[in-house]
Amino acid sequence: MARNLYRHPRIRNQLGTQELDANMTQFLELCTARDTEPIIQESRAYLSHLKYLARGKWTGELDKLVHAEYLLRSEPFEKIIQLGSEVASVIREHGGISINKIVQKLQQKKVLCEDDKLSQDPFAQSLIFCSLGWLSLLYIPAKRTRSMDLRITIQSTKSAIRSNVAAEMAARPLDELLRSFGELLPKKVGGTVSNGQTYAQEPTSSIKFQVSHLNVATLQDIATMEIVWVDSLSAHLEFDPTIPSISLFKCPSFCKIHQSPDSILAL
């Protein structure tokens, strides 16, 4: 299973053997803190997955948010990659600040237009929220509705995951915003943190598998388990005993390219 860089059966690598342009290379290097040459195949697989997730998400309303002096690319996916680079750059410089503060930093860099109220604008907040989702793949931003809430697409079987939170959460630090949706962020198991808080151990099973023998065929044939392909990392390996089914992340190449202590996911 690990040998296949892009596992989901219905989506092909849309970039094929296409060379990565400067826009894509800058985006990948800012996100992963790695040279793209050794991970070129995995990088193409991730970008293909991102292109699939972001299709139709850039609209004319978003063009209006961009500063007049900023040289915005022409194609929607190129714009998403370009803005993703700018957001990644801000996070690298300032850490997990709020969405509203990211908007303000992008205004200072003349990426977004000069408007004193832009950080409160639901389109601007949604743009940054979507960009963060595509950078981290911890959640999949949902299609905008008339509601000003920040919304995600639910792929998790956990009842604790919420599909939306109030727009006011855009003023809170990123980790607080993400935790307000539920268990989107990984948590320590069976350990302690700096304040001495102890985390409970997850229950264990007496049934053991050899990792070398564990693959999709094993799960389907021996365990009669349904495979549910998911787009977000937060839903990976979730087990639903009522079916039974297990959720698998579609794009393991994303994990491969982020194998660096300086990855944006580690900030």
Side-chain angles (χ1 to χ4, degrees):
M1 183 165 61
R3 293 178 184 174
N4 293 297
L5 300 173
Y6 196 82
R7 281 291 302 149
H8 187 243
R10 292 182 295 177
I11 307 169
R12 296 179 179 177
N13 187 336
Q14 300 174 38
L15 299 181
T17 58
Q18 174 187 332
E19 290 295 321
L20 302 183
D21 63 20
N23 187 33
M24 293 178 180
T25 300
Q26 180 184 41
F27 170 74
L28 290 165
E29 291 180 351
L30 279 168
C31 291
T32 66
R34 298 180 65 183
D35 179 12
T36 57
E37 264 317 300
I39 52 173
I40 187 71
Q41 192 174 356
E42 293 90 347
S43 296
R44 290 193 188 106
Y46 162 54
L47 289 172
S48 291
H49 185 62
L50 180 54
K51 190 172 186 177
Y52 161 72
L53 293 176
R55 69 193 189 285
K57 297 295 174 62
W58 189 283
T59 65
E61 290 291 334
L62 301 182
D63 284 331
K64 299 175 184 178
L65 301 176
V66 179
H67 196 283
E69 297 178 10
Y70 188 72
L71 297 178
L72 188 65
R73 298 263 178 157
S74 58
E75 296 299 321
F77 183 62
E78 293 177 344
K79 295 175 183 179
I80 286 171
I81 294 296
Q82 189 178 10
L83 182 78
S85 294
E86 299 291 358
V87 172
S89 179
V90 169
I91 293 175
R92 286 208 169 274
E93 186 175 354
H94 300 283
I97 58 177
S98 69
I99 285 177
N100 290 354
K101 288 184 177 178
I102 292 175
V103 171
Q104 293 166 1
K105 297 297 182 185
L106 292 178
Q107 287 182 289
Q108 293 170 12
K109 296 175 66 176
K110 293 189 174 181
V111 175
L112 298 182
C113 62
E114 297 173 351
D115 181 340
D116 292 341
K117 297 182 179 179
L118 190 65
S119 62
Q120 309 297 322
D121 184 280
F123 281 100
Q125 292 174 339
S126 176
L127 176 60
I128 303 305
F129 181 68
C130 287
S131 186
L132 292 168
W134 296 326
L135 288 177
S136 67
L137 293 188
L138 288 172
Y139 61 89
I140 305 304
K143 185 176 181 180
R144 268 192 58 81
T145 64
R146 292 183 180 180
S147 168
M148 296 195 331
D149 289 354
L150 300 173
R151 308 179 66 85
I152 64 175
T153 299
I154 296 292
Q155 295 187 318
S156 172
T157 58
K158 297 176 182 176
S159 59
I161 298 291
R162 301 173 59 188
S163 63
N164 63 293
V165 299
E168 287 76 14
M169 291 302 297
R172 306 305 304 162
L174 292 184
D175 62 337
E176 186 176 335
L177 166 63
L178 295 182
R179 292 187 193 284
S180 67
F181 281 98
E183 296 179 5
L184 293 183
L185 293 176
K187 61 181 180 179
K188 288 187 176 182
V189 178
T192 58
V193 290
S194 57
N195 64 5
Q197 181 182 359
T198 301
Y199 289 85
Q201 291 279 5
E202 294 287 344
T204 59
S205 170
S206 59
I207 301 174
K208 305 295 181 183
F209 282 100
Q210 289 190 16
V211 174
S212 60
H213 296 164
L214 185 60
N215 53 37
V216 171
T218 302
L219 294 173
Q220 290 178 322
D221 297 340
I222 298 179
T224 62
M225 195 173 297
E226 180 180 328
I227 304 301
V228 179
W229 296 101
V230 293
D231 297 301
S232 60
L233 277 170
S234 57
H236 182 56
L237 293 183
E238 285 190 3
F239 176 64
D240 184 349
T242 62
I243 297 178
S245 68
I246 190 167
S247 298
L248 297 181
F249 181 49
K250 292 179 184 177
C251 188
S253 293
F254 177 79
C255 304
K256 175 72 173 179
I257 66 177
H258 280 280
Q259 287 181 343
S260 165
D262 298 319
S263 160
I264 199 168
L265 297 181
L267 299 179

